[in-house]
């Protein structure tokens, strides 16, 4: 017999890749929530969510969607949080848990806390899982299997609320870690946001090349460029919002990266083979470390 559901009524605000995956895993397991409510902004997405049938209730009015829910998860781009919160805050149930899936955490606390009703527990969360696809069709129940979820509750947050969110992610198949929001934002700036910035840039640089060279780049892309194009195929709104809402950490990592890239460029210019070999060896050992941790 499955365990008792953690939540009676779980409301997802935003049901694209992440919200759609949470709904699917909740539906598949039965021990995360008794009822899954889904709200999304555009009528065409609402209609598609109804067709896909992974939520018990599909609600077009966000205020009605959150009413009576004991857990609400924001799964919209982080730049939309303040506006969404202004709409839902007056309707959140006292004692409810408010959590999210956003890729930045300092901005989430900044945007949600001022409007947080008394008695509602904010537990910010970031599942370190995703693909370059978006929208409700892109979701799947196994997305979070074996992936980390980082929680960044502020000191003094109700431990029972934090534990419910942690248990939800464990039941979705994830490993849960906690840290403060500033540390989270630095870590993701280097492991995720900077790599995306580089991928968008390198694709732009290739696109700027003369017609003939650009054609050859696309033809022979398999030699490394292709991996950048996969990352660069990500959603525009989501990545614009991430860059704008993790600005300090991203700029700091970009500055460090630029220095290191210049150093490697200098070694290439002056034929410093030892320096170049050392950089390649460090890259290889980081890759081995990821494989050992089963995160490759
Ligand atoms: P997605 O597939 O594009 O879905 C976004 C959802 O948010 C849709 O339901 C969309 O509704 C809604 N939405 C978009 N803009 C909105 C706005 N301005 N106001 C209200 N609703 C809006 O995105 P996702 O990949 O699931 O990402 C959701 C969140 O998870 C983001 O904060 C992202 O940073 C985070 N995240 C993403 C990944 C990833 O790899 N994709 C990984 C970890 C965390 P309509 O379609 O109805 O407009």
């Amino acid at each position: 017999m499955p365990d008792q559901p953690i939540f009676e009524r779980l409301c997802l605000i935003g049901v694209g890749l992440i919200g759609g995956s949470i709904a699917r895993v909740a539906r598949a397991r039965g021990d995360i929530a008794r009822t899954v409510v889904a709200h999304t902004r555009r009528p065409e997405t609402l209609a598609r969510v109804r067709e896909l049938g992974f939520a018990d209730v599909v609600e077009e009015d966000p205020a009605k969607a959150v009413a009576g829910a004991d857990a609400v998860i924001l799964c919209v781009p982080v730049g939309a949080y303040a506006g969404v919160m202004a709409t839902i805050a007056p309707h959140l149930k006292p004692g409810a848990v408010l959590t999210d899936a956003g890729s930045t955490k300092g901005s989430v606390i900044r945007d949600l806390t001022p409007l947080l009703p008394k008695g509602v527990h904010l537990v910010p969360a970031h599942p370190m899982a995703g693909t370059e696809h978006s929208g409700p069709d892109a979701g799947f129940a196994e997305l979070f299997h074996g992936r980390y979820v980082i929680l960044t509750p502020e000191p003094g947050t109700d431990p029972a609320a934090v534990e419910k969110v942690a248990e939800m992610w464990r039941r979705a198949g994830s490993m849960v870690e906690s840290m403060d929001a500033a540390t989270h934002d630095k870590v993701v700036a280097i492991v995720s946001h900077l790599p995306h910035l580089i991928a968008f840039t390198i694709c732009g640089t290739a696109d700027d090349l003369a017609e003939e060279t650009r054609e050859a780049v696309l033809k022979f892309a398999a030699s490394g460029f292709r991996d950048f194009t996969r990352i660069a195929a990500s959603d525009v709104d989501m990545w614009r919002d991430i860059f704008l809402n993790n600005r300090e950490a991203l700029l700091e990592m970009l500055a460090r990266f630029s220095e290191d890239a210049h150093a490697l460029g200098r070694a290439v210019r002056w034929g410093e083979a030892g320096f170049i070999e050392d950089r390649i060896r460090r890259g290889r050992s980081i890759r081995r470390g990821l494989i050992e941790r089963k995160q490759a």
Side-chain angles (χ1 to χ4, degrees), residues 178-257:
S178 290
M179 63 181 69
D180 64 86
T183 305
H184 165 276
D185 286 355
K186 275 194 186 158
V187 171
V188 294
I190 188 73
V191 302
S192 169
H193 304 171
L194 182 62
H196 276 81
L197 186 151
I198 293 168
F200 296 134
T201 308
I202 205 167
C203 288
T205 306
D207 198 39
D208 286 343
L209 294 173
E211 187 77 30
E212 203 180 308
T213 322
R214 190 189 314 133
E215 278 307 309
V217 166
L218 294 177
K219 188 167 171 188
F220 302 115
S223 29
F225 182 69
R226 186 181 53 186
D227 292 343
F228 285 111
T229 65
R230 186 187 59 74
I231 297 178
S234 300
D235 187 69
V236 176
D237 293 358
M238 173 180 147
W239 281 97
R240 175 204 58 216
D241 284 4
I242 290 173
F243 285 4
L244 294 176
N245 284 281
N246 197 19
R247 191 171 52 182
E248 275 77 32
L250 179 57
L251 289 178
E252 186 190 325
M253 294 307 167
L254 177 61
R256 294 178 69 137
F257 170 80

Side-chain angles (χ1 to χ4, degrees), residues 62-73:
K64 282 193 192 147
V66 301
D70 50 348
V72 174
I73 312 182

Side-chain angles (χ1 to χ4, degrees), residues 13-20 39-46 49 74-81 83-84 100-104 108 125-136 138 143-144 196 234-235 237-242:
I13 301 291
V15 269
L17 171 71
I18 300 293
H39 162 77
T40 180
R41 176 183 55 165
R42 289 180 300 156
E44 52 270 41
T45 316
L46 274 169
V49 172
L74 302 187
C75 305
V76 299
V78 289
Y81 275 44
V84 166
D100 78 309
S103 308
T104 62
V108 165
H126 178 197
M128 306 284 288
T131 71
E132 68 277 25
H133 303 297
S134 53
L143 177 64
F144 309 111
H196 276 81
S234 300
D235 187 69
D237 293 358
M238 173 180 147
W239 281 97
R240 175 204 58 216
D241 284 4
I242 290 173

